Amino acid sequence: RQAGRQTGQQCRSEMEVYSTHAAIQELPDSEIPEQGMAAPCAQQLVLDELLLDGNAPQNLASFVTTYMEPEAEKLILHGARVNMIDMDEYPQSAAIHQRCVNMIGKMWYAKPGDDGKMTGTACVGSSEAIMLAVLAMRARWRKARKAAGLDTNKPNLVFGSNVQCCWHKACMYFDVEAREAEVSEDELYL
């Protein structure tokens, strides 16, 4: 028997999962099981669990994209198979990545490097981007303070009380003092 193959009854459709042993087994939570499960069964059981999540198109309270064109979804699925950390293996993906970084950098008035390219990276989401931004800010701040002969132990970040909670987490994780300024309906920005 090959690892990952279900022994015994196979399910071939989403409805058949409920007539197999897969439906009465507990899904693993800490160890990979010795016997696998048929892919359609595993998919349906995970989809059933995800029914308990919120409905993304109705989630207007977060920073996630609630709608995406099918073509964009296909490109994302294709990209899921690419190990972008190895840019030598995927040079065209790396070139597309750099073009996106250049466009976003220009949109935010960033200064390009000596090679004319912007410095940046892709992130899975805004929380990861915030974490990287705070790390970069702290490193740049320390470098400037050290060059000026000033103390480098107490960086701080000022932001409005309306920021995403990840800014607070980043400050806590990276030992940066968070200085929060109150905002109001009349004044939504600093």
Side-chain angles (χ1 to χ4, degrees):
R1 295 183 184 148
Q2 294 179 349
R5 301 256 181 215
Q6 178 184 351
T7 58
Q9 196 172 15
Q10 300 283 319
C11 63
R12 293 174 297 277
S13 73
E14 63 185 45
M15 294 311 294
E16 279 189 28
V17 68
Y18 305 110
S19 63
T20 68
H21 290 290
I24 59 172
Q25 295 172 346
E26 285 191 38
L27 293 177
D29 65 358
S30 60
E31 293 182 13
I32 298 173
E34 288 186 28
Q35 294 182 346
M37 180 184 295
C41 288
Q43 178 188 25
Q44 188 58 47
L45 292 172
V46 171
L47 288 172
D48 288 349
E49 283 193 20
L50 292 174
L51 287 172
L52 300 173
D53 278 352
N55 184 354
Q58 294 176 333
N59 181 6
L60 302 178
S62 84
F63 297 94
V64 299
T65 301
T66 57
Y67 172 79
M68 189 178 303
E69 290 82 359
E71 297 82 1
E73 290 180 351
K74 287 178 185 175
L75 287 171
I76 288 172
L77 182 60
H78 177 78
R81 299 185 198 108
V82 173
N83 180 5
M84 271 305 293
I85 203 69
D86 186 2
M87 293 189 178
D88 292 333
E89 184 67 26
Y90 302 99
Q92 200 53 47
S93 293
I96 292 168
H97 169 267
Q98 184 61 54
R99 291 197 318 252
C100 292
V101 168
N102 289 342
M103 286 184 247
I104 292 170
K106 188 171 184 179
M107 180 176 70
W108 288 100
Y109 303 101
K111 293 180 180 168
D114 294 337
D115 60 359
K117 296 178 181 176
M118 300 291 180
T119 300
T121 189
C123 296
V124 174
S126 58
S127 296
E128 181 185 6
I130 289 167
M131 295 290 180
L132 290 172
V134 171
L135 271 177
M137 181 271 317
R138 186 185 70 176
R140 190 174 184 177
W141 178 86
R142 283 187 174 157
K143 183 178 178 182
R145 299 277 293 187
K146 190 174 184 179
L150 299 170
D151 178 39
T152 62
N153 291 323
K154 296 198 173 211
N156 66 73
L157 185 60
V158 178
F159 45 72
S161 58
N162 57 345
V163 299
Q164 182 187 17
C165 64
C166 191
W167 286 99
H168 293 279
K169 287 181 183 180
C171 288
M172 181 181 65
Y173 293 162
F174 305 129
D175 201 24
V176 173
E177 179 190 358
R179 294 186 181 179
E180 186 175 298
E182 290 297 321
V183 295
S184 68
E185 288 182 23
D186 298 327
E187 196 76 31
L188 294 175
Y189 55 89
L190 300 179

